[in-house]
Amino acid sequence: GEDVEQSLFLSVREGDSSVINCTYTDSSSTYLYWYKQEPGAGLQLLTYIFSNMDMKQDQRLTVLLNKKDKHLSLRIADTQTGDSAIYFCADVRGGSQGNLIFGKGTKLSVKP
Amino acid sequence: KAGVTQTPRYLIKTRGQQVTLSCSPISGHRSVSWYQQTPGQGLQFLFEYFSETQRNKGNFPGRFSGRQFSNSRSEMNVSTLELGDSALYLCASSQAKGPPYEQYFGPGTRLTVT
């Protein structure tokens, strides 16, 4: 099966919170990342979390990590239309820091 | 600081031809990784270069190759192009000085093979 899995679509109303979920299989993952991709653009690193942390907050972004269940989530508070994009979670293949394993991406649509 | 740049941004090639894509990393970054993005397979790791040496390689055929120069700029080459090679090719650079291994991506090169 896939190493990193995400649901494909999420639709929210402007001003609501968005929660994007991800599961991974590699128990040796040390860092987990969230990237954002807007149409026609490359990937923008949003945030990351070290595997010995449960939570990390960065302005409107909150990352939660449940290492036991290998579940990662990204919460975007006060979602804006400019947040519409595809969001990818990724982990570093154990020991290979240049090799990110990505999920298929969650397309977030924000309705005004 | 300038971001990662990739040239060209768009390319159209014919089956059987070869192509070379270029990536200039962020100044001071010594590691460059390449990824292929397609609608069907998503983002897949091709290879990583560090100090002019290939450090990691993904599961792609030998038609895909790369190299890195002493100034950390990198090129990837695809020989004998196939229709399935049509994709967005992304490169990413990192300082590679240790965790958290933040990778910064360029805008990509959109390759279309006809």
Side-chain angles (χ1 to χ4, degrees), chain B residues 2 7-8 21 28 33-35 39 42-43 54 57-58 61 64-65 68 75 79 89 92 94-95 100 109 112-113:
Chain B
T7 55
L21 312 181
S33 295
W34 288 88
Y35 295 84
L43 281 152
Q54 188 180 87
K57 188 177 189 306
F64 292 81
S65 63
Q68 187 180 34
E75 289 181 346
S79 62
Y89 290 88
S94 72
Q95 288 187 317
T109 294
T112 302
V113 182

Side-chain angles (χ1 to χ4, degrees), chain A residues 30-31 33 48 50 92 95-98, chain B residues 28-31 48 50 55 93-104:
Chain A
T30 52
Y31 282 88
Y33 305 81
Y48 59 86
F50 185 45
V92 174
S96 301
Q97 59 259 34
Chain B
H29 285 194
R30 297 169 63 193
S31 166
E48 182 210 2
F50 176 78
R55 187 156 68 171
S93 75
S94 72
Q95 288 187 317
K97 285 183 179 176
Y101 314 128
E102 296 170 60
Q103 288 193 30
Y104 295 89

Side-chain angles (χ1 to χ4, degrees), chain A:
Chain A
E2 288 183 13
D3 296 294
V4 180
E5 292 192 8
Q6 303 177 238
S7 52
L8 295 182
F9 301 99
L10 177 64
S11 180
V12 300
R13 290 259 174 223
E14 193 173 21
D16 287 349
S17 290
S18 307
V19 179
I20 302 170
N21 295 300
C22 171
T23 57
Y24 60 98
T25 57
D26 188 356
S27 57
S28 68
S29 294
T30 52
Y31 282 88
L32 294 138
Y33 305 81
W34 284 102
Y35 281 86
K36 175 184 179 183
Q37 186 176 36
E38 296 182 74
L43 276 68
Q44 175 193 353
L45 176 62
L46 289 176
T47 187
Y48 59 86
I49 188 167
F50 185 45
S51 59
N52 71 351
M53 298 170 66
D54 297 325
M55 186 182 87
K56 180 180 180 182
Q57 189 153 2
D58 187 356
Q59 299 182 344
R60 290 192 298 124
L61 305 179
T62 303
V63 178
L64 294 178
L65 175 61
N66 180 328
K67 198 173 179 184
K68 174 176 167 290
D69 295 337
K70 299 191 182 72
H71 182 267
L72 181 73
S73 67
L74 174 69
R75 179 177 177 269
I76 306 173
D78 188 25
T79 313
Q80 302 298 307
T81 54
D83 294 323
S84 294
I86 301 177
Y87 291 80
F88 294 91
C89 68
D91 80 42
V92 174
R93 185 43 31 109
S96 301
Q97 59 259 34
N99 178 0
L100 288 174
I101 305 300
F102 286 90
K104 286 283 202 286
T106 300
K107 185 172 183 179
L108 174 64
S109 296
V110 183
K111 297 186 186 339

